[in-house]
Amino acid sequence: MSEQTELRETVRARYAAAATAVAGGGGGCCGGEAVEVDETFGASLYPAAQRDELPAEAVAASLGCGNPTAVAELGEGERVLDLGSGGGIDVLLSARRVGPTGKAYGLDMTDEMLSLALSNAAKAGATNVEFLKGDIESIPLPGNTIDVVISNCVINLSVDKPAVFAETFRVLRPGGRLGISDVVADDHLTPAERAERGSYVSCIAGALTFAEYRAGLEAAGFADIEITPSFQAADGMHSAIVRAVKPLEVVSPAAQSAGSCCGVDACCTADEQPVAPNLTAAEAKSAAGCGCSA
């Protein structure tokens, strides 16, 4: 088993156990048993008024390092995607903000968390939500369909962060935005020094530095990048608010490869194929602003 595969399985097992603890814990009037986390993480980062709106199990399963719905500036009718949605707290809060004409998606790789999230959505009476099983490195949604991507302390857990940034960029519509909370390290800290401050599953060892985070978002194509620390999660490690925008006019990275036009091979022919295998020809042309028709 490779190191990346082992890390991924460790993360999956940790959050599966957390979901099981919440779903099976308690039994009293207040619902599930809250998962034990560091005092700088979890449901305490949400205002009491927000916590009181939701099923107790959704609140108990909150393991994040911020409140992304507070910084994403969600609007009526928008389509929002939560990467690593867990028990569904941010999806349910987002669903309330976007209203009946909008939609909130949650994406998680853990069956136990997805089951808990579906139960919480039913208890909340949320009809404009959808939970998807999958990896944040390969988002099971079409390109250019999401207005806002949020996430709460999950990207640091990925073993392939460039893929996460690229996939996030792909699913966002031009002009769409990123509004997430994540743990970010001071630039002088080496990977070994980050690991000394906490484990991978505790959202510390896998954190990028500020410079690495910015470079990763820029490489994916994002603009207007802001990374603002909010509080210290460990020595030299910070919970941070990360904002970025997908430009209105996007030149797909695939479009820059040799022998391609508008992000597809042999643009405007009957048998055209996208250069990027995760895009359809129509999606590639749309992202690149190609004037050809499918």
Side-chain angles (χ1 to χ4, degrees), residues 27-91:
C29 65
C30 296
E33 176 184 356
V35 179
E36 184 177 346
V37 292
D38 185 276
E39 63 182 5
T40 57
F41 293 78
S44 63
L45 299 172
Y46 296 81
Q50 286 189 337
R51 299 197 303 268
D52 292 345
E53 293 177 352
L54 301 175
E57 291 83 359
V59 176
S62 176
L63 303 170
C65 58
N67 180 357
T69 61
V71 301
E73 300 176 354
L74 301 178
E76 189 83 16
E78 289 191 313
R79 297 163 66 89
V80 57
L81 168 66
D82 181 17
L83 301 180
S85 49
I89 184 171
D90 293 315
V91 174

Side-chain angles (χ1 to χ4, degrees), residues 65-66 182 228-232 238-241:
C65 58
D182 210 359
T228 308
S230 51
F231 62 83
Q232 183 167 282
H238 310 270
S239 171
I241 296 166

Side-chain angles (χ1 to χ4, degrees), residues 143-144 167 170 252 254 263 273-285 287:
N144 305 308
E167 278 289 274
R170 180 185 67 82
S252 167
Q273 296 293 322
V275 174
N278 61 326
L279 296 177
T280 67
E283 288 170 347
K285 288 187 290 187

Side-chain angles (χ1 to χ4, degrees), residues 100-237:
T101 60
K103 187 163 185 177
Y105 293 93
L107 174 64
D108 206 280
M109 69 175 182
T110 310
D111 288 328
E112 293 84 351
M113 277 294 185
L114 287 167
S115 177
L116 180 61
L118 288 168
S119 174
N120 288 330
K123 290 175 182 177
T127 58
N128 60 336
V129 304
E130 183 176 347
F131 289 98
L132 308 169
K133 183 176 181 179
D135 302 322
I136 63 175
E137 299 87 358
S138 182
I139 299 171
L141 286 172
N144 305 308
T145 56
I146 299 297
D147 296 297
V148 187
V149 170
I150 64 173
S151 184
N152 196 350
C153 211
V154 171
I155 293 176
N156 68 80
L157 295 169
S158 172
V159 296
D160 189 355
K161 296 173 181 67
V164 178
F165 295 144
E167 278 289 274
T168 300
F169 189 85
R170 180 185 67 82
V171 299
L172 280 170
R173 63 166 178 78
R177 59 198 188 278
L178 182 72
I180 67 175
S181 297
D182 210 359
V183 173
V184 184
D186 285 340
D187 288 336
H188 69 273
L189 292 180
T190 65
E193 289 170 331
R194 293 170 232 172
E196 290 172 357
R197 287 155 170 78
S199 68
Y200 205 95
V201 295
S202 65
C203 303
I204 300 298
L208 298 173
T209 66
F210 285 89
E212 289 168 345
Y213 220 115
R214 179 176 293 276
L217 290 171
E218 288 176 344
F222 283 100
D224 299 332
I225 300 166
E226 300 177 4
I227 307 175
T228 308
S230 51
F231 62 83
Q232 183 167 282
D235 181 25
M237 312 286 293

